[in-house]
Every structure is written in structure tokens, then in C-alpha cells.
Amino acid sequence: MFNKLFRKKSNTNEASFNQQKDLVKDECIPAHIAIIMDGNGRWAKKRAMPRIKGHHEGMNTVRKITRYADDLGVKILTLYAFSTENWKRPKIEVDFLMSLPGQFLNSFLPELMERNIRVEMIGDGSTLPAHTQKALQSAIDQTKGNTGLILNFAMNYGSRDEIVRAMKSMMDEVEAGTLSYEDITEERITDYLMTAHLPEPDLLIRTSGEVRLSNFMLWQLAYTEFWFTDTLWPDFDEKCLLEAIRVYQSRNRRYGGLKGEETE
Ligand code: FPP
């Protein structure tokens, strides 16, 4: 698997990439990686470019990171592409962000098919512009038979909104008599979330130096390992991903309990 990645490297980066690669254990790759892709605006500002140029570059990084994650054997990659709060941005920026799924999927779909990647989405799709919904739905439909990496876009997603919806669905069932007080358990609540069919993320990455969750997967991240980097999303590359995975592999995940000799 690493050879596949290695073949794509230029000679200049080869040595340091190789060092990173050697430190990562092939057998403990996090199955589900979630990423808060932040810093597109600052990337553009540093170059005296409009913010949308940063988002365009961010889209190219999505393409690269999807390939690396797939090559590494990651099973699910959840990307925070647009939050329920992002509507507050200027219209020109929102319009551009809404055009990205179409741009991305139009050009990348053949490779997604070739790689056996399945596109999925969490979030409220119903209020996205028609062209955005169409692009996402078409990719979801075309890739639904694929059995490899799940590329899961969080689009118009907000964790509190997701929890409110879950509570309402549960209330509906209580009122209909199909759910009782005793049925309400952690597992049952999980079933009502948009990620019901997915395992919780093993690793959360946030770029750009911000250290907060910004309403992202609040329930699902309860036992996830976090990794923050100052790197701006458009500059995030395979070395950063390998570094995040290396740090993840050095962590001792205890889920609130103790491990091995610690119990003696
Ligand atoms: C946050 O950076 C980023 C976003 C709100 C958008 C993220 C979207 C992408 C990376 C592209 C998505 C691609 C597809 C295919 C859907 P920011 O704008 O808040 O950056 P700043 O904090 O530096 O201003």
C-alpha cells in the first residue's frame, strides 16, 4: 500500500516522506478520519488573493487527501465542507462554496469510480441550492455500489442541528408508541444521528491553528483522538496526514478505562 503512495512522490520530498512513512504502522491506520478543513481564507489572504481562491485550492487538497487516505487504507474520510453557520458568510463566498461539490465531482468522479470510492453526505441537503443537491445526489447514486473508502461530505451540517433532529424523531416515536422511556440508551440515540451507519471517528484533524470543534460531530467525537496543526488546509499534504496518523498511533486509547499492566 505504501509503495503505491511512494511511487507518486517527487525526488525532492522523497527522503522526508520516506522517513514519515517508516514511522507509521501499516496495521493501525485509523479506520475513520474526520477533518475540519480550516484556513482557506488565510491562505488566500497571505497571497493577496480573494478568499474563493483559497477555497478552490482547498478543493484541490480534498482531492489529494482523498487519494492518500485511500492509498493508506483509511475506510471513512469525513470532511467538514460547509457548516450550518457558514450561511452567514458573504453571498459570493457561499455561492462559490456551493459550486465546489459540482466542480469536484465533475472532474473527480471517474477516479472515484476507479478507486471504488463511495460518496456519502451528512447534513441537511434539502436547503442546498438545486445544482449542489444534484451534484451530490448524482455522485452518491453513481458510487453507491462501491465498496472501498467512504468519502463523506459534511455539507450544511451542524452537530446541534443533528441532535435536535434526532430528539424530534425520537419524540415522534414516543408519541406513536413505538419508543419507550426505557428504550432510550446511548446506542439508540446513535441510531438517530446522520452517522448511524458509520463507526465513530478514530482521529479528528483540524488545520489552521484553531483549537475548537465548531459544532462538528459533538456526540460522535466523545472518544476520538484529536490532532491540531497550524498548517492551513490548502497546504495540508501527505506528510501532514502521515504525521497525524503517527501521533494517533502513539496515543494510548483507554476509553475511560485502564489498559494492561495499569490494572495490576
Ligand atoms: C474554512 O476555512 C473552510 C470552509 C468553510 C470551507 C471548506 C471547503 C473546502 C476545503 C473545499 C470543499 C470541497 C468540496 C469538494 C466540497 P475558512 O474559510 O474559514 O478559512 P479562514 O479561517 O482562514 O478564513
Side-chain angles (χ1 to χ4, degrees), residues 37-42 51 55 58-59 62 81 86 89 93 97 100-101 104 153 233:
M37 309 178 290
D38 197 6
N40 295 345
R42 276 163 282 169
R51 291 177 56 81
H55 293 312
M59 176 185 71
V62 170
N86 286 151
R89 296 187 176 211
E93 185 170 343
L97 286 168
L100 289 180
F104 175 82
F153 287 107
W233 177 249

